[in-house]
Amino acid sequence: MKMSFYFQIFIVSILLLNCDSQTSVVKENTSIPTIKKSENNIVYLFFEIEKTASGTEQVKHTDTKTTEGILKIGSVENKENLPGNIAVTFLAKDGKIISEQIIEDPLNPIMETYSEEGLNREKLKFPKAEFSIRFNQTGEISSVQLEKITANSKNHLITIKL
């Protein structure tokens, strides 16, 4: 029982350390001049998200990394289309949707712990968090749009032009 308690404290400590960052509002389009639009590149986009006192969420693009290679099919886990999660849309130059994925709400992740009673799931709430997305850049993707899924619609967070 003590071991489970210490493990939970350890996990929560790691999560809190990962959330220690500064953010600012970025609602307009930002450009990333460093991405090559050639075949066989994996692109990693890094973001910070923060919940404001008014309850809205601010997202800031913090970094971009590219590497040669191709993500295997199924290597990116797609979450459910639930309120709170973030919809990521990959767009072509003409605005056509190339693909979509959904990531879990980074401000409210679910922590799983194991104890003598079995598996326990607890929803954590953070004021700030970091998250990333990755995708294959085949040369077709010219921008990436992030939207927060709500019960009735989606709220635009940020659009990154590649």
Side-chain angles (χ1 to χ4, degrees), residues 78-116:
N78 212 11
K79 298 296 181 178
E80 295 181 58
N81 190 5
L82 297 174
N85 288 348
I86 297 176
V88 181
T89 307
F90 302 98
L91 302 167
K93 196 172 192 174
D94 62 0
K96 179 182 168 189
I97 296 174
I98 295 173
S99 66
E100 296 176 302
Q101 67 178 245
I102 297 174
I103 59 173
E104 188 174 52
D105 184 359
L107 291 174
N108 300 297
I110 296 177
M111 180 177 73
E112 294 181 344
T113 57
Y114 297 94
S115 65
E116 293 173 3

Side-chain angles (χ1 to χ4, degrees), residues 15 44 56 63 69 71 80-81 86 92 96 104-105 128 159:
L15 290 172
Y44 298 86
T56 60
D63 197 11
L71 290 172
E80 295 181 58
N81 190 5
I86 297 176
K96 179 182 168 189
E104 188 174 52
D105 184 359
K128 296 179 186 178
T159 299

Side-chain angles (χ1 to χ4, degrees), residues 17-37:
L17 287 173
N18 285 338
C19 294
D20 186 26
S21 59
Q22 296 180 356
T23 61
S24 62
V25 178
V26 177
K27 291 275 183 179
E28 57 199 56
N29 294 344
T30 55
S31 293
I32 306 167
T34 58
I35 295 178
K36 298 178 196 174
K37 292 190 180 183

Side-chain angles (χ1 to χ4, degrees), residues 45-61:
L45 298 176
F46 298 91
F47 299 92
E48 293 176 349
I49 186 168
E50 179 178 14
K51 188 162 229 151
T52 64
S54 66
T56 60
E57 293 168 349
Q58 302 170 341
V59 175
K60 178 182 177 186
H61 173 247

